[in-house]
Amino acid sequence: MAKRKRLTPANPDYLTADGPAPEIKSMYPMGGRRSYTSAPIADVVGQNASTAALEEVADTLRRAREEGRMVLDLPLAAVDESHLVRDRTRIDDEEMASLRASIEARGQQTPIEVTDLGNGRYGLISGWRRLAALRHLSDEKPGAFETVQALLRRPDQSADAYLAMVEENEIRAGLSYYERARITARTVEQGVFETPKAALLSLYRNASRAKRSKIRSFLVLVAELDGVLRFPEDLSERLGLRVSGALSADPAAAESFRRGVQAANPATAEDEKACLEALLTPASGRASAPPAPMKNTPRPGLTMERKGDNHVVLRGPAMDAELYKSLLAFLSAAD
């Protein structure tokens, strides 16, 4: 008969209130599977939340970059300044020297605007002077100025890009009427706008009607004398309008102006202005008209007296506040 094993009673110490609690061992032994301090589902949820947060940050940065709210550091060589026909036709040496000195001392303070051309290339929309200054400094100090700060723009049409360029220059540094008319003509030539009127209404939509009218008048001058005039940016509004008027009144006058300017070969802006003034007399048909005799009574109630080379006196009851304002406005607009 098999011998039965006697069972021992439970340890009475475990059953006392004052005794220590029994040791509870981990589910997984040392060296085996890891033990969890939290439920596995909590780890999965935490990882998913971290991934979602990173994706949200990445998406926010991507949208900020594409919408032009993030300043980018682009290599100077990656920016193509010939992407648009520039409205500015000359560089003021003194202004550029001041801009270079400012950038060298304080760094670039205002980003340029570019559009993505693909393959790591960017087309310049606005900021031509800043880009030119940085490239000059880069040539002078290799390694010191290799990048340009830029905002990425995505114009839906070429018209939007030209508008951005024109508006920046109108705000920062007003262009001459010749430069305004020239960029208007170029956008029509490139098919950006169908007509000069459409170009004017788009590019100078915030300008007054009088200003757009003057730009339209300068279009005649650009069409006939662009490339002939050496200092067109220095033309005053008054002289430019007179030349444009002469060209509009007599289509044959354009050839006379071209030959006259080329023959004069002006070395300075003042020389060119004098040449145009001389050409205006026969062009306007006033060559054979004798000059009107000068009177010391320009109008009833007003007398004019000259005292020396630099002193003229106007007096009389007609010299009221209105006439004074008109005279002051005329002299302010004169060359």
Side-chain angles (χ1 to χ4, degrees):
M1 184 175 181
K3 186 178 180 181
R4 295 181 180 179
K5 185 176 180 181
R6 179 176 293 182
L7 297 176
T8 59
N11 190 338
D13 293 338
Y14 289 167
L15 303 177
T16 62
D18 297 333
E23 180 182 1
I24 300 176
K25 296 184 177 180
S26 172
M27 178 185 294
Y28 302 106
M30 294 298 293
R33 295 174 59 187
R34 69 183 181 90
S35 60
Y36 287 91
T37 57
S38 61
I41 188 64
D43 286 346
V44 174
V45 171
Q47 291 173 3
N48 290 341
S50 298
T51 302
L54 290 174
E55 290 178 351
E56 182 179 358
V57 170
D59 183 63
T60 300
L61 293 176
R62 178 186 60 78
R63 285 188 287 106
R65 181 180 186 275
E66 293 178 352
E67 294 171 5
R69 294 182 286 109
M70 177 186 293
V71 178
L72 309 177
D73 278 332
L74 303 178
L76 286 175
V79 181
D80 181 8
E81 69 271 19
S82 63
H83 172 60
L84 299 180
V85 178
R86 311 315 304 179
D87 52 355
R88 190 182 299 277
T89 60
R90 69 171 178 178
I91 302 177
D92 186 285
D93 292 337
E94 185 175 347
E95 289 182 0
M96 285 300 295
S98 298
L99 179 59
R100 289 194 297 267
S102 174
I103 293 177
E104 185 174 8
R106 303 175 59 238
Q108 182 186 350
Q109 299 298 304
T110 306
I112 65 173
E113 292 180 313
V114 298
T115 185
D116 193 346
L117 302 178
N119 298 321
R121 300 289 297 170
Y122 298 87
L124 180 67
I125 294 178
S126 64
W128 182 81
R129 291 195 312 154
R130 276 161 280 163
L131 182 64
L134 283 166
R135 285 185 168 159
H136 187 278
L137 291 171
S138 178
D139 292 339
E140 284 188 342
K141 300 181 177 182
F145 297 90
E146 297 298 329
T147 61
V148 56
Q149 295 179 7
L151 294 173
L152 185 63
R153 303 300 190 201
R154 292 186 178 276
D156 294 333
Q157 299 176 345
S158 297
D160 295 328
Y162 278 104
L163 177 60
M165 175 181 66
V166 168
E167 284 184 340
E168 190 203 34
N169 280 332
E170 286 293 314
I171 293 172
R172 294 184 179 278
L175 302 173
S176 66
Y177 275 101
Y178 186 91
E179 289 172 306
R180 294 181 179 116
R182 185 177 181 274
I183 191 59
T184 302
R186 293 296 176 267
T187 56
V188 176
E189 291 174 4
Q190 293 194 351
V192 178
F193 300 101
E194 293 185 0
T195 63
K197 181 178 180 180
L200 284 169
L201 290 176
S202 179
L203 297 177
Y204 300 98
R205 63 182 65 173
N206 296 321
S208 65
R209 180 177 298 180
K211 186 173 184 177
R212 288 198 299 269
S213 177
K214 292 173 184 178
I215 298 173
R216 185 184 298 110
S217 297
F218 269 76
L219 285 172
V220 179
L221 198 154
V222 171
E224 300 294 349
L225 299 181
D226 191 40
V228 176
L229 297 176
R230 295 187 177 184
F231 309 95
E233 307 86 358
D234 292 300
L235 278 177
S236 67
E237 174 188 331
R238 183 165 174 262
L239 179 57
L241 291 175
R242 289 173 60 201
V243 174
S244 295
L247 295 173
S248 299
D250 182 10
E255 183 60 29
S256 175
F257 272 88
R258 284 193 287 268
R259 290 199 306 266
V261 173
Q262 290 170 347
N265 193 24
T268 65
E270 293 303 319
D271 291 343
E272 189 165 81
K273 289 179 183 178
C275 174
L276 291 174
E277 289 281 3
L279 290 169
L280 275 171
T281 300
S284 59
R286 294 178 296 180
S288 59
M294 295 187 64
K295 302 178 181 180
N296 64 348
T297 55
R299 64 169 62 182
L302 182 68
T303 60
M304 179 174 65
E305 182 181 359
R306 182 170 184 177
K307 295 183 176 182
D309 293 337
N310 302 315
H311 191 186
V312 175
V313 178
L314 292 172
R315 61 166 59 92
M319 177 50 72
D320 53 13
E322 189 65 29
L323 179 58
Y324 174 79
K325 291 180 181 178
S326 300
L327 181 61
L328 184 61
F330 172 77
L331 294 175
S332 298
D335 296 337

Coordinates of all heavy atoms in Angstrom, one line a residue, residues 185-261:
A185 N 5.6 99.3 -70.3 CA 5.7 98.9 -71.7 C 6.3 97.5 -71.8 O 5.9 96.7 -72.6 CB 6.7 99.9 -72.4
R186 N 7.3 97.1 -70.9 CA 7.9 95.8 -71.0 C 6.9 94.7 -70.6 O 7.0 93.6 -71.2 CB 9.1 95.8 -70.1 CG 10.3 96.7 -70.5 CD 10.8 96.2 -71.8 NE 11.9 97.2 -72.3 CZ 11.6 98.2 -73.1 NH1 10.4 98.4 -73.5 NH2 12.6 99.0 -73.5
T187 N 6.0 94.9 -69.7 CA 5.1 93.9 -69.3 C 4.1 93.6 -70.4 O 3.7 92.5 -70.6 CB 4.3 94.3 -68.0 OG1 3.7 95.6 -68.2 CG2 5.2 94.4 -66.8
V188 N 3.8 94.7 -71.2 CA 2.9 94.5 -72.4 C 3.7 93.7 -73.5 O 3.1 92.8 -74.1 CB 2.4 95.8 -72.9 CG1 1.6 95.6 -74.2 CG2 1.6 96.5 -71.8
E189 N 4.9 94.0 -73.7 CA 5.7 93.3 -74.7 C 5.9 91.9 -74.4 O 5.9 91.0 -75.3 CB 7.1 94.0 -74.8 CG 7.1 95.4 -75.4 CD 8.5 96.0 -75.3 OE1 9.4 95.3 -74.9 OE2 8.6 97.2 -75.7
Q190 N 6.0 91.5 -73.1 CA 6.1 90.1 -72.7 C 4.8 89.4 -72.6 O 4.8 88.2 -72.2 CB 6.9 90.1 -71.3 CG 8.3 90.5 -71.4 CD 9.1 90.1 -70.2 OE1 8.6 89.7 -69.2 NE2 10.4 90.3 -70.3
G191 N 3.7 90.1 -72.8 CA 2.4 89.4 -72.8 C 1.8 89.2 -71.4 O 0.8 88.5 -71.3
V192 N 2.4 89.9 -70.4 CA 1.8 89.8 -69.1 C 0.5 90.5 -69.1 O -0.5 90.1 -68.4 CB 2.8 90.4 -68.1 CG1 2.2 90.4 -66.7 CG2 4.1 89.7 -68.1
F193 N 0.4 91.7 -69.8 CA -0.8 92.4 -69.9 C -1.1 92.6 -71.4 O -0.2 92.7 -72.2 CB -0.8 93.7 -69.2 CG -0.5 93.6 -67.7 CD1 0.7 93.9 -67.2 CD2 -1.6 93.3 -66.9 CE1 1.0 93.8 -65.9 CE2 -1.3 93.2 -65.5 CZ -0.1 93.5 -65.0
E194 N -2.4 92.7 -71.8 CA -2.7 92.8 -73.2 C -2.5 94.2 -73.7 O -2.2 94.4 -74.9 CB -4.2 92.3 -73.4 CG -4.4 90.9 -73.1 CD -5.9 90.5 -73.5 OE1 -6.6 91.3 -73.9 OE2 -6.2 89.3 -73.3
T195 N -2.8 95.2 -72.9 CA -2.7 96.6 -73.3 C -2.0 97.4 -72.3 O -2.0 97.1 -71.1 CB -4.1 97.2 -73.6 OG1 -4.8 97.2 -72.3 CG2 -4.9 96.3 -74.6
P196 N -1.5 98.6 -72.7 CA -0.9 99.5 -71.7 C -1.9 99.9 -70.7 O -1.5 100.1 -69.5 CB -0.4 100.7 -72.6 CG -0.2 100.1 -73.9 CD -1.2 99.0 -74.1
K197 N -3.1 100.1 -71.0 CA -4.1 100.5 -70.1 C -4.3 99.5 -69.0 O -4.4 99.8 -67.8 CB -5.5 100.8 -70.8 CG -6.6 101.3 -69.9 CD -7.9 101.5 -70.6 CE -9.0 102.0 -69.7 NZ -10.2 102.3 -70.4
A198 N -4.4 98.2 -69.4 CA -4.5 97.1 -68.4 C -3.3 97.1 -67.5 O -3.4 96.8 -66.3 CB -4.7 95.8 -69.2
A199 N -2.1 97.3 -68.1 CA -0.9 97.3 -67.3 C -0.9 98.4 -66.2 O -0.6 98.2 -65.1 CB 0.3 97.4 -68.2
L200 N -1.3 99.6 -66.7 CA -1.3 100.7 -65.8 C -2.3 100.5 -64.6 O -2.1 100.8 -63.5 CB -1.7 102.0 -66.6 CG -0.6 102.6 -67.4 CD1 -1.1 103.7 -68.3 CD2 0.6 103.2 -66.5
L201 N -3.5 100.0 -65.0 CA -4.6 99.8 -64.0 C -4.2 98.7 -63.0 O -4.7 98.8 -61.9 CB -5.9 99.5 -64.7 CG -6.5 100.6 -65.5 CD1 -7.8 100.1 -66.2 CD2 -6.9 101.8 -64.5
S202 N -3.3 97.8 -63.4 CA -2.9 96.7 -62.5 C -1.7 97.1 -61.7 O -1.7 97.1 -60.5 CB -2.6 95.5 -63.3 OG -2.2 94.4 -62.4
L203 N -0.6 97.6 -62.4 CA 0.6 97.9 -61.7 C 0.5 99.1 -60.8 O 1.1 99.2 -59.7 CB 1.7 98.1 -62.7 CG 2.1 96.9 -63.6 CD1 3.2 97.3 -64.6 CD2 2.6 95.7 -62.7
Y204 N -0.3 100.1 -61.2 CA -0.4 101.3 -60.5 C -1.9 101.6 -60.0 O -2.4 102.7 -60.1 CB 0.1 102.5 -61.3 CG 1.5 102.3 -61.7 CD1 1.9 101.8 -62.9 CD2 2.5 102.6 -60.8 CE1 3.2 101.6 -63.3 CE2 3.9 102.4 -61.1 CZ 4.2 102.0 -62.4 OH 5.5 101.8 -62.7
R205 N -2.5 100.5 -59.5 CA -3.9 100.5 -59.1 C -4.1 101.5 -58.0 O -5.2 102.0 -57.8 CB -4.4 99.1 -58.7 CG -3.6 98.6 -57.5 CD -4.1 97.2 -57.2 NE -3.8 96.2 -58.3 CZ -4.0 94.9 -58.2 NH1 -4.5 94.4 -57.1 NH2 -3.7 94.1 -59.2
N206 N -3.1 101.7 -57.2 CA -3.3 102.6 -56.0 C -2.8 104.0 -56.3 O -2.9 104.9 -55.4 CB -2.4 102.1 -54.8 CG -2.9 100.7 -54.3 OD1 -4.1 100.5 -54.3 ND2 -2.0 99.8 -54.0
A207 N -2.4 104.3 -57.5 CA -1.9 105.6 -57.9 C -3.2 106.4 -58.3 O -4.2 105.9 -58.7 CB -0.9 105.6 -59.0
S208 N -3.0 107.7 -58.2 CA -4.1 108.6 -58.7 C -4.3 108.6 -60.2 O -3.4 108.2 -60.9 CB -3.8 110.1 -58.2 OG -2.7 110.6 -58.9
R209 N -5.4 109.0 -60.7 CA -5.7 109.0 -62.1 C -4.7 110.0 -62.8 O -4.2 109.7 -63.9 CB -7.1 109.5 -62.4 CG -7.4 109.5 -63.9 CD -8.9 109.9 -64.1 NE -9.8 108.9 -63.5 CZ -11.1 109.0 -63.6 NH1 -11.7 110.1 -64.2 NH2 -11.9 108.1 -63.1
A210 N -4.3 111.1 -62.2 CA -3.4 112.0 -62.7 C -2.0 111.4 -62.9 O -1.3 111.6 -63.9 CB -3.3 113.3 -61.9
K211 N -1.6 110.6 -61.9 CA -0.3 110.0 -62.0 C -0.3 109.0 -63.1 O 0.7 108.9 -63.9 CB 0.0 109.3 -60.7 CG 1.4 108.8 -60.6 CD 1.7 108.3 -59.2 CE 3.1 107.8 -59.0 NZ 3.5 107.4 -57.6
R212 N -1.3 108.2 -63.2 CA -1.4 107.2 -64.3 C -1.4 107.9 -65.7 O -0.8 107.4 -66.6 CB -2.6 106.3 -64.2 CG -2.5 105.3 -63.0 CD -3.5 104.2 -63.2 NE -4.9 104.7 -63.2 CZ -5.6 104.8 -62.1 NH1 -5.1 104.4 -60.9 NH2 -6.9 105.2 -62.1
S213 N -2.0 109.0 -65.7 CA -2.1 109.8 -67.0 C -0.7 110.2 -67.4 O -0.3 110.2 -68.6 CB -3.0 111.0 -66.9 OG -3.0 111.7 -68.0
K214 N 0.1 110.6 -66.4 CA 1.5 111.1 -66.7 C 2.4 109.9 -67.2 O 3.2 110.0 -68.1 CB 2.1 111.8 -65.5 CG 1.4 113.1 -65.2 CD 1.9 113.7 -63.9 CE 1.2 115.0 -63.5 NZ 1.7 115.5 -62.2
I215 N 2.2 108.8 -66.5 CA 2.9 107.6 -66.9 C 2.6 107.2 -68.3 O 3.4 106.8 -69.2 CB 2.7 106.4 -66.0 CG1 3.1 106.7 -64.5 CG2 3.4 105.1 -66.4 CD1 2.7 105.7 -63.5
R216 N 1.3 107.3 -68.7 CA 0.8 107.0 -70.0 C 1.5 107.9 -71.1 O 1.9 107.5 -72.1 CB -0.7 107.1 -70.1 CG -1.3 106.7 -71.5 CD -2.8 106.9 -71.5 NE -3.5 106.1 -70.6 CZ -4.1 106.5 -69.5 NH1 -4.1 107.9 -69.3 NH2 -4.7 105.7 -68.7
S217 N 1.6 109.2 -70.7 CA 2.3 110.1 -71.6 C 3.7 109.8 -71.8 O 4.3 109.9 -72.9 CB 2.2 111.6 -71.0 OG 0.8 112.0 -70.9
F218 N 4.4 109.3 -70.8 CA 5.8 108.9 -70.9 C 6.0 107.6 -71.7 O 7.1 107.4 -72.2 CB 6.4 108.7 -69.5 CG 7.1 109.9 -68.9 CD1 6.3 111.0 -68.4 CD2 8.5 110.1 -69.0 CE1 6.9 112.1 -67.9 CE2 9.1 111.2 -68.4 CZ 8.3 112.2 -67.9
L219 N 4.9 106.9 -71.9 CA 5.0 105.7 -72.8 C 5.4 106.0 -74.2 O 6.2 105.3 -74.8 CB 3.7 104.9 -72.8 CG 3.3 104.2 -71.5 CD1 1.8 103.7 -71.6 CD2 4.2 103.0 -71.3
V220 N 5.0 107.2 -74.7 CA 5.4 107.6 -76.0 C 6.9 107.9 -76.1 O 7.6 107.5 -77.0 CB 4.6 108.9 -76.4 CG1 5.1 109.4 -77.8 CG2 3.1 108.7 -76.3
L221 N 7.4 108.5 -75.0 CA 8.9 108.8 -75.0 C 9.7 107.5 -74.9 O 10.7 107.3 -75.6 CB 9.1 109.7 -73.7 CG 10.5 110.4 -73.7 CD1 10.3 111.7 -72.8 CD2 11.6 109.6 -73.1
V222 N 9.2 106.5 -74.1 CA 9.9 105.2 -74.0 C 9.9 104.5 -75.4 O 10.9 103.9 -75.8 CB 9.2 104.3 -72.9 CG1 9.7 102.9 -73.0 CG2 9.4 104.9 -71.6
A223 N 8.7 104.5 -76.0 CA 8.6 103.8 -77.3 C 9.5 104.4 -78.4 O 10.1 103.7 -79.2 CB 7.2 103.9 -77.8
E224 N 9.8 105.7 -78.4 CA 10.5 106.3 -79.4 C 12.0 106.5 -79.1 O 12.9 106.5 -80.0 CB 9.9 107.7 -79.8 CG 8.5 107.6 -80.3 CD 8.4 106.9 -81.6 OE1 9.4 106.7 -82.3 OE2 7.2 106.6 -82.0
L225 N 12.3 106.7 -77.8 CA 13.7 107.1 -77.4 C 14.4 106.2 -76.5 O 15.5 106.5 -76.0 CB 13.7 108.6 -76.9 CG 13.2 109.7 -77.8 CD1 13.3 111.0 -77.1 CD2 14.0 109.7 -79.1
D226 N 13.8 105.1 -76.1 CA 14.4 104.1 -75.2 C 15.7 103.6 -75.9 O 15.6 103.1 -77.0 CB 13.5 103.0 -74.8 CG 14.0 102.2 -73.6 OD1 14.6 102.8 -72.7 OD2 13.9 100.9 -73.7
G227 N 16.8 103.6 -75.2 CA 18.0 103.2 -75.8 C 18.8 104.3 -76.4 O 20.0 104.1 -76.7
V228 N 18.1 105.4 -76.7 CA 18.8 106.6 -77.3 C 19.2 107.5 -76.2 O 20.3 108.0 -76.2 CB 17.9 107.3 -78.3 CG1 18.6 108.5 -78.9 CG2 17.6 106.3 -79.5
L229 N 18.3 107.8 -75.3 CA 18.6 108.7 -74.2 C 19.6 108.0 -73.2 O 19.4 106.8 -72.9 CB 17.3 109.0 -73.4 CG 16.3 109.8 -74.2 CD1 15.0 110.0 -73.3 CD2 16.8 111.2 -74.6
R230 N 20.6 108.7 -72.7 CA 21.6 108.1 -71.8 C 21.2 108.3 -70.4 O 21.6 107.6 -69.5 CB 22.9 108.8 -72.1 CG 23.5 108.5 -73.5 CD 24.9 109.0 -73.6 NE 25.5 108.6 -74.9 CZ 26.8 108.9 -75.2 NH1 27.6 109.5 -74.3 NH2 27.2 108.5 -76.4
F231 N 20.4 109.4 -70.1 CA 20.1 109.7 -68.7 C 18.5 109.9 -68.6 O 18.1 110.9 -68.1 CB 20.8 110.9 -68.2 CG 22.3 110.9 -68.5 CD1 22.8 111.5 -69.6 CD2 23.1 110.3 -67.6 CE1 24.2 111.4 -69.8 CE2 24.5 110.2 -67.8 CZ 25.0 110.8 -68.9
P232 N 17.8 108.9 -69.1 CA 16.3 109.1 -69.0 C 15.7 109.2 -67.6 O 14.7 109.9 -67.4 CB 15.8 107.9 -69.8 CG 16.8 106.8 -69.6 CD 18.1 107.6 -69.6
E233 N 16.4 108.6 -66.6 CA 15.9 108.7 -65.3 C 15.9 110.1 -64.7 O 15.2 110.4 -63.7 CB 16.6 107.7 -64.4 CG 16.7 106.3 -64.9 CD 17.9 106.1 -65.8 OE1 18.6 107.1 -66.1 OE2 18.1 104.9 -66.3
D234 N 16.8 110.9 -65.3 CA 17.0 112.3 -64.7 C 16.0 113.3 -65.4 O 16.1 114.5 -65.0 CB 18.4 112.7 -64.9 CG 19.4 112.0 -64.1 OD1 19.2 112.0 -62.8 OD2 20.3 111.3 -64.6
L235 N 15.2 112.8 -66.3 CA 14.3 113.7 -67.0 C 13.3 114.2 -65.9 O 12.7 113.4 -65.2 CB 13.5 113.0 -68.1 CG 14.2 112.9 -69.4 CD1 13.3 112.1 -70.4 CD2 14.4 114.3 -70.0
S236 N 13.1 115.5 -65.9 CA 12.0 116.0 -65.0 C 10.7 115.7 -65.5 O 10.5 115.4 -66.7 CB 12.2 117.5 -64.8 OG 11.9 118.2 -66.0
E237 N 9.7 115.7 -64.7 CA 8.3 115.5 -65.1 C 7.9 116.5 -66.2 O 7.4 116.1 -67.2 CB 7.4 115.6 -63.9 CG 5.9 115.5 -64.3 CD 5.0 115.8 -63.1 OE1 5.5 115.5 -61.9 OE2 3.9 116.3 -63.3
R238 N 8.2 117.7 -66.0 CA 7.8 118.8 -66.9 C 8.5 118.6 -68.3 O 7.8 118.7 -69.3 CB 8.2 120.1 -66.3 CG 7.7 121.3 -67.2 CD 7.8 122.6 -66.3 NE 7.5 123.8 -67.1 CZ 8.5 124.6 -67.6 NH1 9.7 124.3 -67.3 NH2 8.2 125.6 -68.3
L239 N 9.8 118.4 -68.3 CA 10.5 118.2 -69.6 C 10.1 117.0 -70.3 O 9.9 117.0 -71.5 CB 12.0 118.2 -69.3 CG 12.9 118.1 -70.6 CD1 12.6 119.2 -71.6 CD2 14.4 118.1 -70.2
G240 N 9.9 115.9 -69.5 CA 9.5 114.6 -70.2 C 8.1 114.8 -70.8 O 7.9 114.2 -71.9
L241 N 7.2 115.4 -70.1 CA 5.9 115.6 -70.7 C 5.9 116.5 -72.0 O 5.2 116.3 -72.9 CB 4.9 116.2 -69.7 CG 4.6 115.3 -68.5 CD1 3.7 116.1 -67.5 CD2 3.8 114.1 -69.0
R242 N 6.8 117.5 -72.0 CA 6.9 118.3 -73.2 C 7.5 117.5 -74.4 O 7.0 117.6 -75.5 CB 7.8 119.5 -72.9 CG 7.2 120.5 -71.9 CD 8.2 121.6 -71.5 NE 8.8 122.3 -72.7 CZ 9.9 122.9 -72.7 NH1 10.7 122.9 -71.6 NH2 10.3 123.5 -73.8
V243 N 8.5 116.7 -74.1 CA 9.0 115.9 -75.2 C 8.0 114.9 -75.7 O 7.8 114.7 -76.9 CB 10.3 115.1 -74.7 CG1 10.8 114.2 -75.8 CG2 11.4 116.1 -74.4
S244 N 7.3 114.2 -74.7 CA 6.2 113.3 -75.1 C 5.1 114.0 -75.9 O 4.6 113.4 -76.9 CB 5.6 112.6 -73.9 OG 6.6 111.9 -73.2
G245 N 4.8 115.2 -75.5 CA 3.8 115.9 -76.3 C 4.2 116.2 -77.7 O 3.5 116.2 -78.7
A246 N 5.5 116.6 -77.9 CA 6.0 116.9 -79.2 C 6.1 115.7 -80.1 O 5.8 115.7 -81.3 CB 7.5 117.5 -79.1
L247 N 6.4 114.5 -79.5 CA 6.4 113.3 -80.2 C 5.0 112.8 -80.6 O 4.8 112.3 -81.7 CB 7.1 112.2 -79.4 CG 8.6 112.4 -79.1 CD1 9.1 111.3 -78.1 CD2 9.4 112.4 -80.3
S248 N 4.1 113.1 -79.8 CA 2.7 112.7 -80.1 C 2.1 113.6 -81.2 O 1.3 113.1 -82.0 CB 1.8 112.7 -78.8 OG 2.3 111.9 -77.8
A249 N 2.5 114.9 -81.1 CA 1.9 115.8 -82.1 C 2.5 115.6 -83.5 O 1.8 115.9 -84.5 CB 2.2 117.3 -81.6
D250 N 3.7 115.2 -83.6 CA 4.4 115.0 -84.9 C 5.1 113.7 -84.9 O 6.2 113.6 -84.4 CB 5.3 116.2 -85.1 CG 6.0 116.1 -86.5 OD1 5.6 115.3 -87.3 OD2 6.9 116.9 -86.7
P251 N 4.6 112.7 -85.5 CA 5.3 111.4 -85.6 C 6.6 111.5 -86.2 O 7.5 110.7 -85.9 CB 4.3 110.5 -86.4 CG 3.0 111.2 -86.3 CD 3.2 112.6 -86.2
A252 N 6.9 112.4 -87.1 CA 8.2 112.6 -87.8 C 9.2 113.1 -86.8 O 10.4 113.1 -87.1 CB 8.0 113.4 -89.0
A253 N 8.8 113.7 -85.7 CA 9.7 114.3 -84.8 C 10.6 113.3 -84.1 O 11.7 113.7 -83.7 CB 9.0 115.2 -83.8
A254 N 10.2 112.1 -84.0 CA 11.0 111.1 -83.3 C 12.3 110.9 -83.9 O 13.4 110.8 -83.2 CB 10.2 109.7 -83.3
E255 N 12.4 110.8 -85.3 CA 13.7 110.7 -85.9 C 14.6 111.9 -85.7 O 15.8 111.7 -85.5 CB 13.4 110.5 -87.4 CG 14.7 110.2 -88.2 CD 15.4 108.9 -87.8 OE1 14.8 108.0 -87.3 OE2 16.7 108.9 -87.9
S256 N 14.0 113.1 -85.7 CA 14.8 114.3 -85.4 C 15.4 114.2 -84.0 O 16.5 114.6 -83.8 CB 13.9 115.5 -85.6 OG 14.6 116.7 -85.2
F257 N 14.6 113.8 -83.0 CA 15.1 113.7 -81.7 C 16.2 112.6 -81.6 O 17.2 112.9 -80.9 CB 13.9 113.3 -80.7 CG 13.2 114.5 -80.2 CD1 12.1 115.1 -80.9 CD2 13.6 115.1 -79.0 CE1 11.5 116.2 -80.4 CE2 13.0 116.3 -78.5 CZ 11.9 116.8 -79.2
R258 N 16.0 111.5 -82.2 CA 17.0 110.5 -82.2 C 18.4 110.9 -82.8 O 19.4 110.8 -82.2 CB 16.6 109.2 -82.9 CG 15.5 108.4 -82.1 CD 15.3 107.0 -82.8 NE 14.5 107.1 -84.0 CZ 13.2 107.0 -84.1 NH1 12.5 106.8 -83.0 NH2 12.6 107.1 -85.2
R259 N 18.3 111.6 -84.0 CA 19.5 112.1 -84.6 C 20.1 113.2 -83.7 O 21.4 113.2 -83.6 CB 19.2 112.6 -86.0 CG 18.9 111.5 -87.0 CD 19.0 112.1 -88.4 NE 18.3 113.3 -88.6 CZ 17.0 113.4 -89.1 NH1 16.4 112.3 -89.4 NH2 16.4 114.5 -89.2
G260 N 19.3 114.0 -83.2 CA 19.8 115.2 -82.4 C 20.6 114.7 -81.1 O 21.7 115.2 -80.8
V261 N 20.0 113.7 -80.4 CA 20.6 113.3 -79.2 C 21.9 112.5 -79.5 O 22.9 112.7 -78.9 CB 19.6 112.4 -78.4 CG1 20.4 111.7 -77.2 CG2 18.4 113.2 -77.9

